[in-house]
Amino acid sequence: MLDVLTQKWWAVALRGVVAILFGIVALVYPGATLVSLAVVFGAYAFVSGVFAIIAAFGIRGRDAVWYVLDGILGIAVGLATFFFPGVTAQALVILVALWAILM
């Protein structure tokens, strides 16, 4: 592990620099950051749901049902995000805060 970190020190340093820059931007523009985060999450959930349903067509049996349910849930979450961005933003703030505390 130490060899990898020694050889890839620049990746660790770059990750830290990007994290610091992201934090500064989030502090300077909190509203824009929150809206952007909600929109990106909503788009991801929607697209993920669509692809899960598409994937279900290539699967037989019970597994296909889970893919369809996953797809429906993803599309619903994506649409809810677009229709209720404030609620989504609040939920994302809580999730990001928990993630930051745990990491």
Side-chain angles (χ1 to χ4, degrees):
M1 175 94 168
L2 189 56
D3 287 340
V4 173
L5 288 177
T6 304
Q7 293 172 358
K8 305 292 184 184
W9 65 268
W10 58 269
V12 176
L14 184 61
R15 180 181 180 205
V17 169
V18 170
I20 290 169
L21 290 174
F22 176 77
I24 291 170
V25 170
L27 288 172
V28 173
Y29 302 107
T33 301
L34 205 54
V35 170
S36 298
L37 185 61
V39 168
V40 169
F41 172 74
Y44 167 76
F46 185 84
V47 170
S48 176
V50 169
F51 282 118
I53 290 175
I54 291 170
F57 287 110
I59 299 171
R60 300 199 188 280
R62 287 183 166 175
D63 290 338
V65 173
W66 291 112
Y67 275 88
V68 170
L69 291 175
D70 178 35
I72 291 169
L73 180 62
I75 291 171
V77 167
L79 291 175
T81 298
F82 291 126
F83 289 119
F84 306 105
V87 173
T88 303
Q90 288 176 340
L92 286 172
V93 165
I94 292 168
L95 287 174
V96 169
L98 289 173
W99 174 76
I101 290 168
L102 294 174
M103 291 300 119

